[in-house]
Amino acid sequence: MRRERSTSKALEAELEKDNWLMLSFGVAKELGMTVQQLHDNVTPEELLGWSCYFGIINRRQDQAMKKAQRRR
């Protein structure tokens, strides 16, 4: 059990530093795939497109929240 925790912490630290891997997990979750399936079926260019898509969605949500707060 102790070894599992240290391995888990190490993997979490690696994931925190690796934006590409974080993106891979996010897109895989969105598409209902494992990360391995994602990498087998999606090109790096498409993955980058997903990154841009998520960026736009996040910006729009932030703008909508700020607009709603200003109305209060």
Side-chain angles (χ1 to χ4, degrees):
M1 181 75 161
R2 185 177 173 100
R3 187 171 196 291
E4 289 175 8
R5 282 189 191 159
S6 64
T7 302
S8 176
K9 289 289 183 187
L11 290 173
E12 187 176 326
E14 182 181 339
L15 193 55
E16 279 283 345
K17 291 187 254 179
D18 190 337
N19 291 330
W20 191 256
L21 191 55
M22 277 292 291
L23 175 63
S24 295
F25 273 98
V27 173
K29 179 181 176 185
E30 188 79 15
L31 298 177
M33 296 179 165
T34 66
V35 173
Q36 183 64 52
Q37 290 170 324
L38 179 79
H39 288 168
D40 288 346
N41 293 289
V42 174
T43 65
E45 292 81 11
E46 184 178 353
L47 199 52
L48 189 55
W50 276 98
S51 179
C52 295
Y53 166 79
F54 286 136
I56 291 168
I57 294 299
N58 288 337
R59 267 193 308 281
R60 288 180 180 176
Q61 287 175 343
D62 287 346
Q63 290 169 348
M65 281 193 344
K66 287 177 184 174
K67 187 176 180 180
Q69 287 173 346
R70 286 192 301 264
R71 288 183 181 168
R72 289 185 194 173

